[in-house]
Structures are given as structure tokens and as C-alpha cells.
Amino acid sequence: MAALFVALIHYPVVDRNGRIVTSAITSLDLHDIARSARTYGATAFFVIHPVAEQREFAGRVLEHWETSHGRQFDSRRQEALGLIRLVTNLDEAIILAEQIAGSPPLIVYTSARPSGGVGYAELRARLERADGAPVMLLFGTGFGMAPAMLERADLALAPVLGPGEYNHLSVRAAAGIILDRLRGR
Amino acid sequence: MAALFVALIHYPVVDRNGRIVTSAITSLDLHDIARSARTYGATAFFVIHPVAEQREFAGRVLEHWETSHGRQFDSRRQEALGLIRLVTNLDEAIILAEQIAGSPPLIVYTSARPSGGVGYAELRARLERADGAPVMLLFGTGFGMAPAMLERADLALAPVLGPGEYNHLSVRAAAGIILDRLRGR
């Protein structure tokens, strides 16, 4: 199986009015997405934030779970949070992923907006190839990634849809669902 | 399609030591699971808690999003939270679901623990039958539902698994993934 990386983008994202903003790191995003990343065999989970104070906040959340208190409460939690790498920007995440996996990752943009995009079966098949390039899935916070991030990606993934048109999922649910579609048993 | 209901159980659930406890309602559970329920066409999302103060807390969260302030921030959020019904226990949820759907729901227990359980394709096919009974999916908080809840269910659903053995998903991610497996496009 090709190596799979997850990246959570806090800048550049858009707010409800489509303005480019930096979103705050949310503790529960780290926990939920790390647990999903671990469940679906991701190699690392990059939490990307340009502001040092925000990365330090995230670092303190992780430290808590590395201590004996956190580990005693739930050792499986630490196993998931151990996947997290706090980085400043996407370039840094890509460099680290290449160091870990041995070749540069294919960057995959995810979005709830209808955009065409490659289907799940196709990306899943690519991930299952033993000689496949590593893949990095980008997830946006706030009201989604800024359009500029799409230009950084090698391909866009089709949006997750249910039976109707409403698909306003939380990033925590969307990341779990997309990982399940790509790597679920 | 058969009517689909989602129920989030706060009692009886177990803590990390397997003791029966009552968990607290978490605001983000309401938001995330309501958004997933709305995305996958659920008819209602029952938030089940035996303690009046906890239901009142949840009621205040919902009120905030019914006001013009919350709606202006994000009208799609209110559309999801509008699915929530705050009830005291499972019996009350079952009675309401029967009133809404016209016949009593099949109660489906979900758990991360390996337990055999019916597969996703089978339950999905049942939901797609036009004449099928309504289905209510039970999700546990804390460290999962107490074993007694399994006895209340008509069937148990197979656990969600990735490529490995670790499947310690958050209830917010698990609910999204299970709904996607049953109703995703």
C-alpha cells in the first residue's frame, strides 16, 4: 500500500463570506482526525498553522496526552496523537512527507463544493498499488480551503454526498468518511 | 427509502473501566452528528439524556442557532440542528420515531468492539427497500454503550474497520462513516 498522509489546513481558508482568513486550531480536530488517521493507517497527520502561538497551543494538547496521566486515561488516544506533526505551511509538510515516504506525495485537495474531481474508487486503487506514490489529503477548516490551495494540488477529490444536495459535514466527519472510502475494510 | 433515525446515548454507557456511567452532552456532538444526519437524509436525531439539566443545556445550544444571530452566521447549521429531538430515554425516542414514520423502528446497535454483527451492504439494502421498516441507529458516548443496550436492539452492526486492528474512532467520525456506508452516494 502507498503511504497516506493527512494534512489539516488553517491558512489560507475562507470564512462564511469567502474572505481569506487564518482559523484557530481546535483541540477536538486534533483528537478526532488523529484517531481516524490512525484507524485508516495514515503515516502522519500534519497540522498546518502559520502562527507559532497556535502551534504551541497544539503542542501543549499533545504533551498532556504524552504524560502518564493522559496515557493512563486512554493509551489508544496517545497512539493516535503520536501521528501529529505541527508544521508552519504546506511546503514543510511536503518535505517531511517526502523524507518519511522516500518520494514526494501526490497532493489531493478535498472540498464539499461540487467540482468534478477524481472518484473514490480511482484514488483507492492508486493507494492500493504497492509501487504507488505517497498521497497527501488536504482538509480545510473554517468554511473550506482558499481557492489558491487547489492550485497547489495535483488533483481534487470528488465531494462526499449523501442522497440529497446538503453536504455540510464537519471536517472531523468528512475526514473520517473520506479515509473510510479510501482505506475502509 | 425507509426512514432512518439516529440516536445518541448518554446513559447507560461505560467509562474506561467498564463501569456504567452517565456521560455529559457535548455541544460538538450535537453539531457534527446533526450535520452528518442531515447530509445522509435522516428523519430525526434523538439526543437521549436522563438528566433534565443536561437536556436544558442542549436546548440552549439549539436555541442559539434558531435565533437570527445563529442563522445569519450559517443557515445550513440550523437546518441540521433542526433534526434534533431531546428525549429522556430510548423508549421515548422509539415512540416518537413510530409516530413520525408510521411503524416502529428496527433498533440497530453500533459498537467498535468486534461482535460479528450484520454487514453494511445488508443493512443498506434493507434501507433502500421502499416498504422497509424504519431504522434507528444507536451510537454510544463515553467508552461505548453499556451491554444492556445491546439487549434492547434488534440487531448489531459490524464494527467499522480500517486496514489494521486499531479502530478507536470518535463517535462524531464513526457516526459519519456509518451513515456514509449506509446512505452515501
Side-chain angles (χ1 to χ4, degrees), chain B residues 6-7 12 15 24 50 52 55-56 58 60-61 71 75 87 103 115-116 125 131 149 152 155 157 168-169 184:
Chain B
V6 173
D15 69 8
R55 294 193 304 277
E56 285 157 17
R60 285 194 299 275
V61 171
R71 270 217 298 272
S75 63
V87 297
S103 56
S115 59
D131 63 344
M149 291 302 287
R152 297 293 313 272
L155 53 87
L157 195 59
H168 184 49
L169 295 165

Side-chain angles (χ1 to χ4, degrees), chain A residues 1 16 26 28 32 35-36 38-41 72-74 76-77 79-80 143 160-173 176-177 180-181 183-185, chain B residues 1 16 26 28 32 35-36 38-41 72-74 76-77 79-80 143 160-173 176-177 180-181 183-185:
Chain A
M1 281 198 305
R16 67 191 175 96
T26 301
L28 213 54
D32 282 18
R35 291 162 73 180
S36 294
R38 179 72 187 80
T39 296
Y40 293 101
Q72 268 170 28
F73 179 74
D74 185 358
R76 298 170 301 181
R77 197 65 74 94
E79 207 179 319
F143 281 67
V160 167
L161 291 169
E165 293 314 308
Y166 185 102
N167 71 335
H168 183 49
L169 294 165
S170 72
V171 69
R172 296 165 291 280
I177 291 164
D180 185 61
R181 287 185 177 199
R183 278 266 176 100
R185 208 190 299 175
Chain B
M1 282 197 305
R16 67 191 174 96
T26 301
L28 213 55
D32 282 17
R35 291 162 73 179
S36 293
R38 178 72 186 80
T39 296
Y40 293 101
Q72 268 170 28
F73 180 73
D74 185 357
R76 299 170 302 180
R77 198 64 75 94
E79 207 180 317
F143 281 66
V160 167
L161 291 169
E165 293 312 308
Y166 185 103
N167 71 334
H168 184 49
L169 295 165
S170 72
V171 68
R172 295 165 291 281
I177 291 163
D180 186 62
R181 288 186 176 197
R183 279 267 176 97
R185 209 193 294 174

Side-chain angles (χ1 to χ4, degrees), chain B residues 1-184:
Chain B
M1 282 197 305
L4 178 62
F5 297 94
V6 173
L8 187 66
I9 311 290
H10 297 83
Y11 173 86
V13 297
V14 293
D15 69 8
R16 67 191 174 96
N17 297 310
R19 279 182 302 230
I20 308 291
V21 294
T22 304
S23 65
I25 291 179
T26 301
S27 170
L28 213 55
D29 285 355
L30 307 187
H31 282 268
D32 282 17
I33 300 175
R35 291 162 73 179
S36 293
R38 178 72 186 80
T39 296
Y40 293 101
T43 301
F45 167 26
F46 296 104
V47 174
I48 302 181
H49 205 293
V51 178
E53 287 75 12
Q54 281 282 306
R55 294 193 304 277
E56 285 157 17
F57 159 74
R60 285 194 299 275
V61 171
L62 302 186
E63 253 168 44
H64 168 78
W65 289 93
E66 280 165 12
T67 63
S68 62
H69 173 76
R71 270 217 298 272
Q72 268 170 28
F73 180 73
D74 185 357
S75 63
R76 299 170 302 180
R77 198 64 75 94
Q78 206 282 317
E79 207 180 317
L81 292 171
L83 292 178
I84 292 179
R85 300 288 174 272
L86 300 168
V87 297
T88 304
N89 54 44
L90 181 59
D91 292 314
E92 209 180 304
I94 292 172
I95 289 166
L96 272 170
E98 181 172 354
Q99 282 173 3
I100 294 167
S103 56
L106 187 86
I107 306 299
V108 177
Y109 176 90
T110 70
S111 169
R113 284 180 281 275
S115 59
V118 66
Y120 290 86
E122 186 182 333
L123 186 57
R124 186 176 176 112
R126 195 193 263 257
L127 278 163
E128 282 168 1
R129 285 211 300 270
D131 63 344
V135 166
M136 184 184 292
L137 298 172
L138 307 187
F139 293 100
T141 55
F143 281 66
M145 277 177 270
M149 291 302 287
L150 181 55
E151 291 158 32
R152 297 293 313 272
D154 298 300
L155 53 87
L157 195 59
V160 167
L161 291 169
E165 293 312 308
Y166 185 103
N167 71 334
H168 184 49
L169 295 165
S170 72
V171 68
R172 295 165 291 281
I177 291 163
I178 288 172
L179 286 165
D180 186 62
R181 288 186 176 197
L182 296 175
R183 279 267 176 97

Side-chain angles (χ1 to χ4, degrees), chain A residues 36-114:
Chain A
S36 294
R38 179 72 187 80
T39 296
Y40 293 101
T43 301
F45 167 27
F46 296 104
V47 174
I48 301 180
H49 205 292
V51 179
E53 286 75 11
Q54 281 282 305
R55 294 193 304 277
E56 284 157 15
F57 159 75
R60 285 194 300 276
V61 170
L62 302 186
E63 253 168 42
H64 168 77
W65 289 94
E66 278 165 14
T67 64
S68 63
H69 173 75
R71 270 218 298 274
Q72 268 170 28
F73 179 74
D74 185 358
S75 62
R76 298 170 301 181
R77 197 65 74 94
Q78 207 281 317
E79 207 179 319
L81 292 171
L83 292 177
I84 292 179
R85 299 289 173 273
L86 300 169
V87 297
T88 303
N89 55 44
L90 180 60
D91 292 314
E92 209 180 305
I94 292 172
I95 290 166
L96 272 169
E98 181 172 355
Q99 282 173 3
I100 294 167
S103 56
L106 186 86
I107 306 298
V108 178
Y109 176 89
T110 69
S111 168
R113 285 181 280 275

